[in-house]
Amino acid sequence: MLPINPWEHQNAVKSLYSKCVGTVCIKHQITRMELDILLFLANNPRFDTAADMVEIRYLSKSQVSVSVKELEGHGYIRKEYENRNRKTAHLKVCKKAEEIIRDGQGAQEKFLQIMLKGFSREEIGIMRKYNERILENLNTYLKEDME
């Protein structure tokens, strides 16, 4: 038997996060995927392509594609191309999306405050370190499995 079960609280974590960001989606009349894309771009500025989102967050290509089109249509993001390379679109957040992102990041902060209530900075640092190692293990296995 495993000393810990990493899936034991997974649904509770997902439910809490959905509850926190759900109000932002309702307020701004966007889908959860659209909010996730805006927050991904804002929180990870060096990863700015749809392919980055699919690879890093394990999102569906088709869902990302549809949501990027919607966000672009509403003027929340724009595509830029480097060196005439029309294959790779770099997604840039537009000023119109700033309030949505601010609200979304506030919801993420609330989520973390609830989840990490009572933990010291040192304990959070240790958890972060262990979580990074776990994520590295997962990504290594998943990438090897896909090859």
Side-chain angles (χ1 to χ4, degrees), residues 4-89:
I4 60 169
N5 181 347
W7 307 276
E8 192 171 7
H9 306 293
Q10 179 180 348
N11 287 336
V13 171
K14 283 179 171 180
S15 293
L16 175 61
Y17 187 78
S18 290
K19 184 175 183 175
C20 289
V21 299
T23 57
V24 177
C25 294
I26 292 167
K27 176 182 176 182
H28 294 284
Q29 298 180 340
I30 61 173
T31 67
R32 168 70 186 277
M33 180 63 77
E34 291 166 358
L35 179 61
D36 287 348
I37 289 170
L38 288 174
L39 290 173
F40 178 87
L41 292 170
N43 294 337
N44 305 283
R46 57 182 242 235
F47 300 109
D48 65 354
T49 68
D52 290 335
M53 287 179 240
V54 169
E55 182 180 340
I56 293 168
R57 293 285 191 252
Y58 297 97
L59 301 173
S60 151
K61 280 184 185 181
S62 60
Q63 285 184 315
V64 170
S65 178
V66 167
S67 296
V68 163
K69 250 184 206 154
E70 282 294 314
L71 290 168
E72 193 177 21
H74 285 91
Y76 294 136
I77 62 173
R78 69 181 185 286
K79 293 178 182 173
E80 291 182 1
Y81 299 90
E82 294 178 358
N83 304 325
R84 297 184 200 157
N85 174 358
R86 298 292 295 174
K87 282 187 174 183
T88 304

Side-chain angles (χ1 to χ4, degrees), residues 117-129:
K117 183 180 177 182
F119 285 94
S120 70
R121 285 186 184 268
E122 181 183 8
E123 291 170 322
I124 292 170
I126 291 167
M127 266 194 290
R128 178 176 283 126
K129 186 174 149 183

Side-chain angles (χ1 to χ4, degrees), residues 122-140:
E122 181 183 8
E123 291 170 322
I124 292 170
I126 291 167
M127 266 194 290
R128 178 176 283 126
K129 186 174 149 183
Y130 290 152
N131 278 330
E132 286 171 3
R133 283 175 51 192
I134 290 170
L135 183 59
E136 187 178 314
N137 291 341
L138 293 169
N139 286 332
T140 298

